[in-house]
Amino acid sequence: MEPQLLDLREERCPRALLLAKRHVMTLSQDEVAKIYVIEHGSLKDIERYLQSSGYDYQKVAFDDYWSIENIARPCPKV
């Protein structure tokens, strides 16, 4: 399945964080997302949100931006 891409390289916080939250909240249990960010503050805020909300993800650094990849919804607790 192709990741749901959200390109936030033109956005800055707090808008980048708000858009990222909305994006990952729409994921179904079998979908994954990928988010591109250029601003270090946005990266840290989005990572903090994902960690505190239980999302799994991987961060990849490129020359001029970061990609937060394989963002997966946390499994529901039983």
Side-chain angles (χ1 to χ4, degrees):
M1 178 176 274
E2 197 68 25
Q4 301 294 321
L5 176 63
L6 178 62
D7 189 345
L8 296 175
R9 290 179 286 187
E10 299 292 322
E11 301 294 338
R12 304 293 179 259
C13 267
R15 183 171 166 78
L17 177 59
L18 175 63
L19 293 171
K21 284 181 179 182
R22 287 182 181 169
H23 185 69
V24 298
M25 289 175 65
T26 65
L27 294 175
S28 66
Q29 200 62 41
D30 60 341
E31 290 181 312
V32 294
K34 181 186 286 190
I35 300 174
Y36 295 156
V37 294
I38 197 166
E39 184 187 46
H40 189 260
S42 297
L43 172 69
K44 291 300 175 190
D45 288 347
I46 293 168
E47 280 189 297
R48 190 176 309 117
Y49 167 73
L50 293 172
Q51 289 171 352
S52 68
S53 299
Y55 286 90
D56 293 324
Y57 68 93
Q58 297 172 335
K59 177 175 64 175
V60 179
F62 293 96
D63 288 337
D64 56 347
Y65 70 97
W66 290 275
S67 176
I68 306 170
E69 301 181 353
N70 300 319
I71 303 168
R73 255 193 120 97
C75 293
K77 296 179 182 176
V78 181

